[in-house]
Amino acid sequence: MSMLEDIKAAEKAADEVKKQATADARSLLRDAQAKANREAETMVTAARDEAKKTIAKAEEEAKAKAQTLIEENAAKDTAKAEQARTKLDEAVKYIMEKVVIEC
């Protein structure tokens, strides 16, 4: 074989190696992208699940606080009503005096 044929053969071999390396690189890139997409989907799913739990917990806390506030306000209203009842007789007496005296 002549030197020119050796060079051509070497160039052809180099082209084949280059093509194979390019194909391997593309394959690795596709595999890496697929893996990254799977991991991202897993992370998004986990984040959504955690968000749902956080929202549920916040709703429970809000309901508990609302219930406590309702109970506190009901107790205050009951106390005011009781206080008003203790003065009911005085109020009726006062009204009767005003009506009888005025009329």
Side-chain angles (χ1 to χ4, degrees):
M1 227 192 246
S2 72
M3 193 181 251
L4 183 57
E5 290 174 347
D6 288 343
I7 291 172
K8 286 182 181 181
E11 286 177 345
K12 186 175 180 181
D15 283 343
E16 290 299 319
V17 170
K18 183 178 174 184
K19 286 179 186 177
Q20 186 60 43
T22 301
D24 290 347
R26 284 184 186 144
S27 178
L28 284 172
L29 181 59
R30 276 193 296 270
D31 292 346
Q33 286 176 330
K35 182 179 178 183
N37 287 337
R38 286 190 305 272
E39 289 176 1
E41 186 61 33
T42 300
M43 291 171 66
V44 167
T45 300
R48 284 182 181 148
D49 291 344
E50 193 61 34
K52 287 177 185 177
K53 289 177 186 176
T54 301
I55 290 169
K57 183 178 178 182
E59 287 175 348
E60 280 183 35
E61 289 175 1
K63 286 178 184 178
K65 286 181 182 179
Q67 185 62 35
T68 300
L69 184 61
I70 289 168
E71 290 170 1
E72 288 174 358
N73 287 339
K76 288 177 186 177
D77 290 347
T78 301
K80 286 180 182 178
E82 287 299 319
Q83 186 180 13
R85 281 189 194 103
T86 60
K87 296 184 180 186
L88 185 61
D89 288 339
E90 290 178 35
V92 169
K93 183 179 174 183
Y94 176 79
I95 291 170
M96 292 302 289
E97 287 176 0
K98 286 292 185 181
V99 168
V100 171
I101 294 173
E102 298 283 329
C103 293

